[in-house]
Amino acid sequence: MAKYTVRMYDAENNCRAEEVCFYFRYVKELYTPYVYFECKFLSSTAEIAEFNRIEFLMYEMVMHCGLVDSIDIRHHSGRYEVFIKSKGFTSLLCQNQPTPGMMTNVDLNGVITTFSDIPYVTCEDSETENYIYIKDGSTIWDAVCNLGYKQTGLYPYIEGTNNVRITQKPPSSLLYIDEKSVLATGVRHDFTKVISHIHMQDIEGNYDVYSKENQAATGRNIIRHKQIPLDRQFLSDPESALDQRLNFSMRGIVCNYIKYVGYNYEDLFDLITYGDFVRKKIHSVDVVFNGGMPVTQLGFYNDGFFTA
């Protein structure tokens, strides 16, 4: 059984598998609507530029399925080294714009299948919403966020390879991390995206009719006023448009993390216990392999949407 396998597929679904992988990085984060993956491996041939899909497997388990964003093929010392960068297929939800206006009687599946030719993307079942409003220039992922916030008050995320969720998945089995494998623990505070005040027009175009202050920002002397037009996604509850934007500006504001040697196939919202980290829900996963054992950093957020 190969430890790490890179599978590349062409338009006819022909597959080339390579098993001499000497570097990879796998990144999954709660507020990023796709997995980012890059890898370096040895190939017996340079004829791989026509492949349009990549899968990465660890001990036969598929960890990533995505687009081939870029390929760099280097020949030296009689061998081909291939460097591939890839994002999960859910990244296409951020790059396609539905028709502006009302989308009626819609559920999550109806949103992500706006363009049926987007491949390999799935979703959980959701309730049907009477309508959501599609703003001019917005993307399918914006519509997913709109629907998710209406139904759960949370931000959507990617489960597994390309499965969109707007609810937290049920708690997983608890993973205990061996103290001997831990390289570091810490906490990171990031205030670079925080908005202090949000102001929104009313339906007649009058400014400052709707306003809200973020005391978590002003208490730190962060003053960032934002003016926005009426957000028709939230016509039934305009105040929630302000809440959603303030919460999003505070995404990942506090992140506790743990870095350890190894990788246990963690996914978002799996549960971890180690020392003071007791049954913490995972909000970010960053795995790097550069020979030897992979090294994993797990993040746990306390912010406007989620707590660990």
Side-chain angles (χ1 to χ4, degrees):
M1 179 187 298
K3 191 173 183 179
Y4 306 125
T5 303
V6 180
R7 292 178 180 168
M8 296 166 288
Y9 297 84
D10 64 17
E12 286 73 43
N13 213 35
N14 298 311
C15 175
R16 181 190 299 279
E18 300 288 357
E19 297 180 351
V20 185
C21 178
F22 57 90
Y23 164 82
F24 73 79
R25 187 179 184 196
Y26 170 94
V27 182
K28 194 172 196 182
E29 193 271 335
L30 185 58
Y31 296 104
T32 304
Y34 53 83
V35 169
Y36 173 78
F37 178 77
E38 62 182 29
C39 66
K40 294 180 181 179
F41 58 90
L42 297 183
S43 175
S44 57
T45 176
E47 297 177 359
I48 62 174
E50 298 304 316
F51 290 97
N52 59 18
R53 172 167 57 100
I54 180 176
E55 291 180 349
F56 177 71
L57 294 81
M58 295 182 64
Y59 295 101
E60 304 300 318
M61 180 176 177
V62 177
M63 300 301 303
H64 173 67
C65 174
L67 297 152
V68 178
D69 286 332
S70 67
I71 304 178
D72 184 355
I73 307 167
R74 186 170 67 166
H75 182 252
H76 74 99
S77 302
R79 65 182 188 177
Y80 295 100
E81 291 183 359
V82 183
F83 182 29
I84 289 183
K85 293 183 179 181
S86 171
K87 291 191 289 290
F89 282 97
T90 50
S91 64
L92 296 173
L93 302 178
C94 309
Q95 300 167 12
N96 285 273
Q97 298 178 338
T99 304
M102 292 291 185
M103 187 179 287
T104 58
N105 297 319
V106 65
D107 60 5
L108 181 58
N109 184 67
V111 173
I112 70 167
T113 57
T114 301
F115 298 107
S116 59
D117 52 347
I118 295 179
Y120 305 108
V121 176
T122 58
C123 68
E124 67 172 319
D125 294 331
S126 79
E127 297 178 359
T128 298
E129 210 49 49
N130 288 336
Y131 73 91
I132 58 173
Y133 185 81
I134 308 298
K135 296 190 297 182
D136 187 29
S138 65
T139 66
I140 297 175
W141 184 253
D142 294 329
V144 170
C145 294
N146 182 5
L147 180 73
Y149 193 74
K150 276 190 170 184
Q151 295 194 350
T152 67
L154 300 176
Y155 195 83
Y157 70 99
I158 307 304
E159 176 190 32
T161 52
N162 290 286
N163 188 56
V164 179
R165 291 191 66 100
I166 59 175
T167 64
Q168 293 187 33
K169 71 176 186 180
S172 67
S173 57
L174 185 61
L175 173 65
Y176 292 88
I177 297 179
D178 185 355
E179 181 179 356
K180 296 178 182 179
S181 69
V182 174
L183 300 174
T185 60
V187 58
R188 181 178 65 252
H189 299 260
D190 182 358
F191 307 105
T192 58
K193 302 178 287 292
V194 176
I195 296 171
S196 63
H197 300 79
I198 187 81
H199 311 277
M200 187 172 71
Q201 292 175 309
D202 66 8
I203 199 165
E204 295 178 350
N206 300 308
Y207 284 94
D208 283 339
V209 175
Y210 303 103
S211 295
K212 184 159 286 192
E213 176 184 341
N214 181 1
Q215 294 182 353
T218 55
R220 290 184 170 273
N221 294 318
I222 298 171
I223 305 300
R224 298 184 184 120
H225 288 259
K226 299 294 181 183
Q227 299 277 354
I228 63 172
L230 177 67
D231 191 340
R232 295 179 181 274
Q233 296 177 114
F234 299 94
L235 276 178
S236 61
D237 184 10
E239 292 289 339
S240 64
L242 309 182
D243 293 333
Q244 194 269 352
R245 278 172 170 75
L246 290 181
N247 286 341
F248 188 65
S249 80
M250 296 178 66
R251 60 196 182 277
I253 189 172
V254 179
C255 177
N256 289 276
Y257 61 86
I258 182 170
K259 188 174 186 179
Y260 75 96
V261 177
Y263 176 56
N264 292 287
Y265 304 99
E266 295 95 337
D267 200 358
L268 302 183
F269 291 103
D270 284 345
L271 298 175
I272 294 291
T273 286
Y274 167 76
D276 293 336
F277 297 91
V278 179
R279 296 183 64 84
K280 292 290 187 180
K281 295 177 182 178
I282 296 171
H283 297 138
S284 68
V285 181
D286 191 336
V287 187
V288 177
F289 169 75
N290 204 6
M293 291 286 289
V295 173
T296 301
Q297 182 163 305
L298 305 174
F300 315 92
Y301 296 161
N302 286 289
D303 62 19
F305 284 111
F306 299 97
T307 60

